[in-house]
Amino acid sequence: HYLVQIKTGVSSLNDTADITLTLIGEEGSTEWILLTCDADTKPFQTGQTDTFYIAAKKLGKVRRAGSRSFIAQIFQSQIRAVDIRCSN
C-alpha cells in the first residue's frame, strides 16, 4: 500500500478534476489509477495537499509518478509516494 500526497501549485479548478496516476518503482509500476475524493472534498486547489491511499503490489522504491491528465501536468507542484506496508 502506498500513501500518495499531491501538492497543487497555482490552480483555477473550481470543480473536482479527474486525475489519473501511475507509480513507477524499481521493481515495477501500477496500472493507471483514478484518484477520487469524498463528495464533500474539493481536491487539487491552490496550495492544498491531497492525500490518497493506493493498494498496489510491491514496487520497490518509487522513482516517479506519471499522470495522464493535462491539468495534473500543469498544476501539480509536488508528488510524494511512500510505501506504508507493514514489514515483519
Side-chain angles (χ1 to χ4, degrees), residues 29-71:
S29 61
T30 64
E31 297 292 326
W32 289 102
I33 301 161
L34 176 63
L35 302 178
T36 58
C37 292
D38 297 333
D40 297 339
T41 303
K42 283 194 167 189
F44 313 116
Q45 300 299 305
T46 300
Q48 180 172 301
T49 300
D50 298 293
T51 302
F52 302 90
Y53 296 94
I54 297 174
K57 64 183 180 184
K58 184 177 178 186
L59 303 173
K61 184 175 181 180
V62 176
R63 294 292 187 191
R64 66 185 182 96
S67 175
R68 281 187 175 166
S69 171
F70 176 72
I71 291 171

Side-chain angles (χ1 to χ4, degrees), residues 1-14:
H1 292 80
Y2 291 84
L3 177 136
V4 175
Q5 293 181 315
I6 300 176
K7 181 172 182 181
T8 304
V10 176
S11 172
S12 60
L13 299 175
N14 293 323

